[in-house]
Amino acid sequence: MLEFQNVTLKVQENTEEKVILSDINLELQSNKIYVITGPNGGGKTTLSKLLMGIRQPTSGKIVFDGQDITNLNITERAKLGIGYAFQQPPRFKGLKVRELLELAAKTDNNEVDLCKLLLDVGLCPQDYIDREINNSLSGGELKRIEIATILARKLKLALFDEPEAGIDLWSFQKLIETFKKLHEDQKVTLVIISHQERIIELADEVIVVGDGHIVKRTTKEDILTQVTSDSACGCNAVCDRRR
């Protein structure tokens, strides 16, 4: 379904060239749940931005459903059925929640129940459907509304960057249920960037990213066992003990 072929991203910092991601080779299959985890600053979010077309690789190729999408922009990739939920969602002053969800659904000519979308992410429709997407919303509220826009679309691949950030326990449980439903009922491939154990438990495969590389591809059981042992030693769940 999706392939990264020898993908490298380099940036210029002052007079020096810095490698952000190096020679990434990654293949994702249809109708799977992948959780990407790893230490902060390791390249997880950058990898997701390359997938969505927010950034372009310095070299290498990105292929989606057999099509080279390396040079396609965000809009073009969205039309192919790729959706992205930002780690820090944007605000749209003057635009109401209802209008944003309708726009998202219209992208794929999808008929949706707006109230159900909000309930699925733990928001009361009566309180939020006509709210403006401005500074009156908290970061957590904004995050849930953005996730609802992803649910409003007919996607082949949905990418979520730390969806649990700023979400309370009850809403988080609703989010987990929604991920399961999205995957099982709509057969959407999910790619979720997260350190959260209950999200890792959803994974068909866990991809560990660190220092700009794919450190390993492994099972959720392997990662969760490591989480348990690292909790005892006080380390990060995906720390490299060789450092």
Side-chain angles (χ1 to χ4, degrees):
M1 178 191 210
L2 179 77
E3 292 182 71
F4 278 68
Q5 300 175 0
N6 305 110
V7 170
T8 293
L9 176 65
K10 300 177 182 179
V11 298
Q12 199 72 24
E13 288 191 355
N14 298 323
T15 58
E16 296 184 359
E17 189 176 64
K18 182 178 180 181
V19 178
I20 306 298
L21 291 173
S22 178
D23 199 28
I24 299 293
N25 286 283
L26 182 65
E27 184 174 354
L28 305 183
Q29 299 177 358
S30 299
N31 196 27
K32 298 284 187 181
I33 299 179
Y34 296 93
V35 174
I36 299 178
T37 191
N40 293 332
K44 303 184 299 298
T45 293
T46 301
L47 185 67
S48 71
K49 289 181 177 180
L50 286 175
L51 191 161
M52 194 63 227
I54 298 169
R55 303 191 71 166
Q56 300 294 325
T58 306
S59 61
K61 183 186 291 187
I62 303 173
V63 178
F64 181 68
D65 276 353
Q67 178 181 347
D68 185 350
I69 64 169
T70 310
N71 297 316
L72 298 187
N73 61 32
I74 298 172
T75 302
E76 291 167 327
R77 295 190 197 199
K79 289 179 180 179
L80 293 176
I82 302 175
Y84 183 78
F86 288 85
Q87 189 175 39
Q88 296 180 329
R91 299 176 189 272
F92 302 96
K93 187 176 180 180
L95 188 68
K96 293 183 178 181
V97 171
R98 179 195 302 276
E99 296 167 330
L100 182 63
L101 294 178
E102 288 174 341
L103 283 171
K106 187 178 179 180
T107 302
D108 303 303
N109 296 315
N110 196 18
E111 293 185 8
V112 295
D113 183 334
L114 301 186
C115 292
K116 185 178 182 304
L117 286 176
L118 292 173
L119 288 172
D120 283 343
V121 295
L123 295 176
C124 173
Q126 184 176 350
D127 293 340
Y128 286 90
I129 195 73
D130 290 315
R131 286 278 297 274
E132 190 173 318
I133 306 168
N134 55 23
N135 290 331
S136 69
L137 293 169
S138 69
E141 290 170 326
L142 196 63
K143 189 90 170 183
R144 281 176 272 181
I145 291 166
E146 184 188 44
I147 292 170
T149 67
I150 297 296
L151 301 179
R153 299 188 55 207
K154 290 180 180 177
L155 297 174
K156 294 180 180 179
L157 186 151
L159 175 60
F160 298 89
D161 192 351
E162 297 193 13
E164 71 274 13
I167 294 181
D168 60 81
L169 185 60
W170 183 85
S171 298
F172 179 64
Q173 176 58 36
K174 291 289 294 182
L175 183 62
I176 293 291
E177 294 170 4
T178 299
F179 283 150
K180 290 179 181 178
K181 188 174 179 62
L182 185 64
H183 174 62
E184 294 169 1
D185 294 354
Q186 300 186 32
K187 309 303 180 186
V188 178
T189 296
L190 300 181
V191 180
I192 309 172
I193 297 174
S194 180
H195 299 286
Q196 224 286 335
E197 292 178 41
R198 290 182 62 193
I199 289 181
I200 292 173
E201 287 173 352
L202 298 174
D204 293 303
E205 184 174 358
V206 179
I207 301 164
V208 181
V209 176
D211 294 328
H213 296 83
I214 303 295
V215 177
K216 65 178 177 179
R217 301 181 65 163
T218 187
T219 64
K220 59 187 174 186
E221 290 82 9
D222 175 46
I223 293 296
L224 292 172
T225 298
Q226 187 177 340
V227 167
T228 302
S229 61
D230 288 345
S231 295
C233 77
C235 298
N236 182 280
V238 288
C239 69
D240 186 341
R241 295 187 183 189
R242 293 171 297 177
R243 292 182 180 179

